[in-house]
Amino acid sequence: MSVLVVGTVAFDSIETPFGSAERILGGSASYFALAASFFTPVRIVGVIGQDFPEEHLDLFSQRGIDLEGIKRERGDTFHWRGRYHEDINVRDTLELHLNVLSGFVPQLPDRYRDAEYVFLGNIDPVMQMEVLNQIRRMRLVVCDTMDHWIRESSTELSKVLQRIEMLVINDSEARLLSGYNNIVRAARAILKMGPKVVLIKRGEYGVLQFSDSSVFATPAYPLEEVFDPTGAGDSFAGGFLGQLARSGDQSQRGIRRAIVYGCVVASFTVEDFGVKRLTTASLPEIEERYQRFVQLTDFHT
Ligand code: AMP
């Protein structure tokens, strides 16, 4: 069972209170793919420029990630520059260069079209819809978005929301999308827009899951040091959907377990800059931290 992701493959320049990094590998699809690849084969759909180094592609290949859906175009790769505040939950976008991403029309290789598990990473909802339209068979579609698309492309976004099963979104974005400040009301309003399940990411405070019949809350894995939160959300989504694909269990119990796997994978990502920690972590380490998470949240015994 494999997972298909469409999203950005990027250069990120990042400043956190603990240091900085220039033009390192980033992007929603990169984090998602590396995170999900612990659990299941992954296929990426995205675009890179001529400046994108082979060593990054090799890194994906070494993790068994299928790159046939990555197109190399004339021009530069998408570049994002961000700075985190002392309160690491707050970040500013300092620069955003779409470069080859502007005008990109995703083209799925034929063998990607029976995708089953799909993650529509944070890109233009028009591109997300383009991918959905090319898929013949799908079992589960999970979508992410951000404030920019909620503000600028609400009509296109609402069409995408009607075609997905699950939405992964930050708490501030959930408020913006719904118009409600209270997060429970916000989630209920979003459920009426199409998705059957809404997963609300709350940074170091964890994740809330809402559906018509259930609510589930989990903390983030408590860490003493968070170096770089970039990609935590996409790593959460990768761990979550990777585990759902691995288990095939979409019951409420299976979804809860997958949410915890998502939190565990994200906790590795934030321990170092960029994707670094995702490339050194192993599945046994992830399973061990998952067991610790079970103890952390156990109050029955
Ligand atoms: P996250 O921290 O999980 O929300 O996502 C971080 C990633 O999002 C970074 O690696 C950036 O390259 C990417 N990113 C930042 N801004 C955008 C944008 N406007 N569209 C798509 N991807 C973006």
Side-chain angles (χ1 to χ4, degrees), residues 20-275:
S20 59
E22 273 297 309
R23 292 176 70 80
I24 56 174
L25 173 62
S28 54
S30 305
Y31 281 103
F32 178 94
L34 289 168
S37 70
F38 288 106
F39 304 96
T40 189
V42 183
R43 297 162 167 179
I44 302 189
V45 176
V47 62
I48 55 175
Q50 282 155 323
D51 54 355
F52 196 80
E54 284 297 319
E55 65 178 271
H56 293 340
L57 296 176
D58 291 344
L59 175 70
F60 290 131
S61 301
Q62 282 156 19
R63 295 291 292 271
I65 296 167
D66 189 325
L67 302 177
E68 200 192 327
I70 292 194
K71 215 166 168 210
R72 195 189 280 276
E73 295 280 11
R74 282 167 67 121
D76 290 337
T77 301
F78 173 87
H79 179 208
W80 172 75
R81 183 181 295 278
R83 184 192 290 143
Y84 290 86
H85 294 213
E86 278 302 321
D87 172 358
I88 202 111
N89 290 308
V90 186
R91 81 173 172 211
D92 298 324
T93 290
L94 303 180
E95 289 175 41
L96 187 73
H97 304 281
L98 291 179
N99 298 334
V100 290
L101 192 65
S102 67
F104 170 60
V105 182
Q107 271 294 330
L108 271 60
D110 192 61
R111 60 192 183 80
Y112 279 25
R113 292 177 193 232
D114 297 315
E116 305 233 307
Y117 294 88
V118 179
F119 182 64
L120 305 174
N122 172 27
I123 46 163
D124 190 331
V126 173
M127 292 178 197
Q128 294 179 326
M129 188 58 101
E130 190 63 51
V131 169
L132 278 182
N133 287 341
Q134 290 177 43
I135 293 173
R136 277 190 293 257
R137 197 161 57 104
M138 51 199 141
R139 191 161 154 182
L140 177 64
V141 182
V142 180
C143 177
D144 190 4
T145 191
M146 69 184 294
D147 48 0
H148 175 78
W149 308 117
I150 297 169
R151 285 201 185 91
E152 306 298 325
S153 306
S154 62
T155 310
E156 288 79 6
L157 181 61
S158 69
K159 286 183 198 152
V160 172
L161 291 180
Q162 283 164 29
R163 291 191 50 189
I164 61 165
E165 277 74 42
M166 300 189 188
L167 179 69
V168 183
I169 191 166
N170 288 341
D171 44 4
S172 61
E173 292 158 355
R175 291 187 174 105
L176 183 67
L177 178 62
S178 66
Y180 288 108
N181 238 332
N182 176 286
I183 211 68
V184 181
R185 283 194 175 183
R188 296 271 169 248
I190 295 169
L191 285 172
K192 291 201 173 77
M193 297 176 193
K196 307 275 177 298
V197 174
V198 178
L199 296 165
I200 298 187
K201 298 173 285 180
R202 300 163 67 228
E204 65 176 314
Y205 306 112
V207 175
L208 287 170
Q209 178 240 277
F210 293 87
S211 71
D212 276 342
S213 56
S214 73
V215 181
F216 176 62
T218 170
Y221 187 81
L223 292 170
E224 278 192 32
E225 284 174 326
V226 174
F227 270 97
D228 173 16
T230 310
D234 301 306
S235 305
F236 166 79
F240 170 72
L241 196 52
Q243 164 61 20
L244 276 186
R246 175 172 80 162
S247 69
D249 181 0
Q250 280 179 52
S251 66
Q252 181 54 220
R253 204 182 168 130
I255 290 173
R256 289 181 179 208
R257 286 184 175 147
I259 289 171
V260 174
Y261 272 105
C263 291
V264 167
V265 178
S267 77
F268 283 99
T269 301
V270 302
E271 283 181 335
D272 209 334
F273 268 103
V275 301

